[in-house]
Amino acid sequence: MDVLTKEERHRNMSAIKGRDTKPELYFRREMFRLGFRYRICPSEVAGHPDIWLPKYRTAIFINGCFWHAHEGCRYFRIPESNREFWEDKFRKNRERDRRITGNLLDSGKRVIVLWECVIRKMRSDSVVHDDVLSHVEEFLISSVRFMEIEWADDEGKPGIAVF
């Protein structure tokens, strides 16, 4: 049962931004602080990544745990009202994410996916902060083409998938 009226919920949901979110701004600042120069949402790169590092031909996507349906994450749950709509929306979002990542990899570009839950943990834990940034730096100088970083609550450290 939703505690907000339909109009209040609509107003809240429509106010959510699609770019320049707090996690994106935070991660951009950290990348700039480390000396990386990037472009923001370039239209010439498929999928308009949140951060594009031309020197490394790397697209970085900061995925919101709710909007990108981060399975097993504490910040994702399917809303009870209008459940069919949300399930369809999340399915389409996941399909689009896979398609864009595949297109980028097929065209010789590299991809990093960072989940919102990791960014949140980076902001509150300096050890996680340093660990995540060092993984990103290592990825950029390696020949690896894909990396996904998500938060693994049960282990207390970031979960990293590298392909």
Side-chain angles (χ1 to χ4, degrees), residues 88 90-100:
D88 186 51
F90 293 142
R91 181 185 53 75
K92 287 177 182 175
N93 286 352
R94 284 192 299 264
E95 287 173 2
R96 185 190 64 236
D97 291 345
R98 280 192 294 274
R99 185 180 68 250
I100 289 169

Side-chain angles (χ1 to χ4, degrees), residues 143-161:
S143 60
V144 177
R145 300 195 50 230
F146 177 81
M147 178 172 67
E148 181 174 356
I149 303 176
E150 60 184 345
W151 186 249
D153 282 325
D154 53 340
E155 298 173 22
K157 61 182 181 177
I160 299 167

Side-chain angles (χ1 to χ4, degrees), residues 46-49 61 95-106 111:
H48 307 280
F61 293 94
E95 287 173 2
R96 185 190 64 236
D97 291 345
R98 280 192 294 274
R99 185 180 68 250
I100 289 169
T101 298
N103 289 345
L104 286 167
L105 293 172
D106 290 345
V111 177

Side-chain angles (χ1 to χ4, degrees), residues 17-40:
K17 300 184 294 182
R19 64 183 273 188
D20 296 333
T21 62
K22 286 182 183 179
E24 287 176 34
L25 294 174
Y26 173 79
F27 195 74
R28 278 192 228 151
R29 276 192 305 271
E30 294 306 303
M31 292 296 287
F32 191 86
R33 186 181 60 78
L34 291 174
F36 292 102
R37 298 303 177 252
Y38 51 81
R39 296 184 58 208
I40 301 166

Side-chain angles (χ1 to χ4, degrees), residues 63-65 68-70 113-119 148-150:
N63 284 354
C65 295
H68 295 267
H70 189 198
V113 175
L114 276 165
W115 288 93
E116 172 191 7
C117 53
V118 173
I119 304 288
E148 181 174 356
I149 303 176
E150 60 184 345

